[in-house]
């Protein structure tokens, strides 16, 4: 494959590595779209410039559980960005007690503080929350919590 995977997240900067590339027929790939059957592969050096570090998943997403009747005050935060980019947060909820429910946005690219009005949701509705950090280039992995129960 033409994909190189790294075991650790790379920070912004320049890196050099050596690679030997073979296609599925065990033929060395010298340049894109050019192959040879030479099994003694030449080693090549490539330069990689990382332009962005993906933020870490938010360590904080509150509330994690509980019962609510009118408003759920949500707090999402404590993500880290290796480039020190300014982070915003997106928060979603999903109704777990209904079929074919989709994640709904509570706050998009905000400060991580949001209020979800649940006053129109039925008694015993169950919710899950998730949030992610955004550095304007990439979204972090999400953090999920729940179950939050609606009571009347």
């Amino acid at each position: 494959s033409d994909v190189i995977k790294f075991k650790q997240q790379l920070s912004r900067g320049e890196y050099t590595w050596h690679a030997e590339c073979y296609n599925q027929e065990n033929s060395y790939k010298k340049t894109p779209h050019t192959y040879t059957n030479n099994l003694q592969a030449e080693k090549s050096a490539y330069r990689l410039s990382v332009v962005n570090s993906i933020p870490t998943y938010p360590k904080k997403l509150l509330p994690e559980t509980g019962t609510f009747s009118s408003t759920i005050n949500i707090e999402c935060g404590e993500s880290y960005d290796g480039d020190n980019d300014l982070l915003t947060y997106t928060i979603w909820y999903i109704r777990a007690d209904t079929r074919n429910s989709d994640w709904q946005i509570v706050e998009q690219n905000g400060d991580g503080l949001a209020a979800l009005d649940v006053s129109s949701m039925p008694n015993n509705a169950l919710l899950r929350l998730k949030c992610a950090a955004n550095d304007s280039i990439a979204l972090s992995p999400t953090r999920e919590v729940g179950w939050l129960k609606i009571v009347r």
Side-chain angles (χ1 to χ4, degrees):
S1 116
D2 292 333
V3 176
I4 297 174
K5 295 181 179 178
F6 296 93
K7 291 184 177 184
Q8 295 180 337
Q9 182 175 330
L10 300 176
S11 297
R12 185 177 290 163
E14 292 191 5
Y15 300 85
T16 302
W17 72 93
H18 296 276
E20 294 182 24
C21 303
Y22 294 87
N23 67 11
Q24 291 180 347
E25 291 79 32
N26 209 21
S27 297
Y28 176 62
K29 184 176 183 181
K30 291 181 4 184
T31 59
H33 312 298
T34 305
Y35 295 90
T36 180
N37 287 325
N38 180 2
L39 294 179
Q40 276 189 313
E42 300 172 19
K43 293 184 178 179
S44 300
Y46 300 89
R47 178 174 290 185
L48 167 72
S49 294
V50 177
V51 295
N52 186 53
S53 293
I54 297 172
T56 61
Y57 81 99
K59 291 181 181 177
K60 180 192 282 186
L61 178 53
L62 299 173
E64 293 183 3
T65 61
T67 56
F68 303 87
S69 60
S70 59
T71 301
I72 301 174
N73 292 310
I74 304 168
E75 185 177 355
C76 172
E78 297 183 11
S79 292
Y80 170 76
D81 184 80
D83 308 322
N84 293 319
D85 295 328
L86 177 66
L87 296 179
T88 60
Y89 295 92
T90 298
I91 301 169
W92 299 266
Y93 80 91
I94 191 167
R95 288 264 314 268
D97 58 307
T98 60
R99 289 187 174 189
N100 301 321
S101 184
D102 294 320
W103 289 98
Q104 303 295 316
I105 294 174
V106 178
E107 176 187 60
Q108 187 167 10
N109 297 324
D111 61 2
L113 302 173
L116 174 61
D117 179 7
V118 295
S119 61
S120 64
M121 292 185 188
N123 190 39
N124 294 321
L126 293 173
L127 305 180
R128 286 188 61 77
L129 300 175
K130 75 176 178 179
C131 72
N134 186 346
D135 66 1
S136 78
I137 297 174
L139 205 61
S140 75
T142 59
R143 178 176 181 93
E144 287 188 38
V145 297
W147 303 101
L148 289 74
K149 187 175 183 178
I150 308 306
V151 294
R152 300 279 170 243

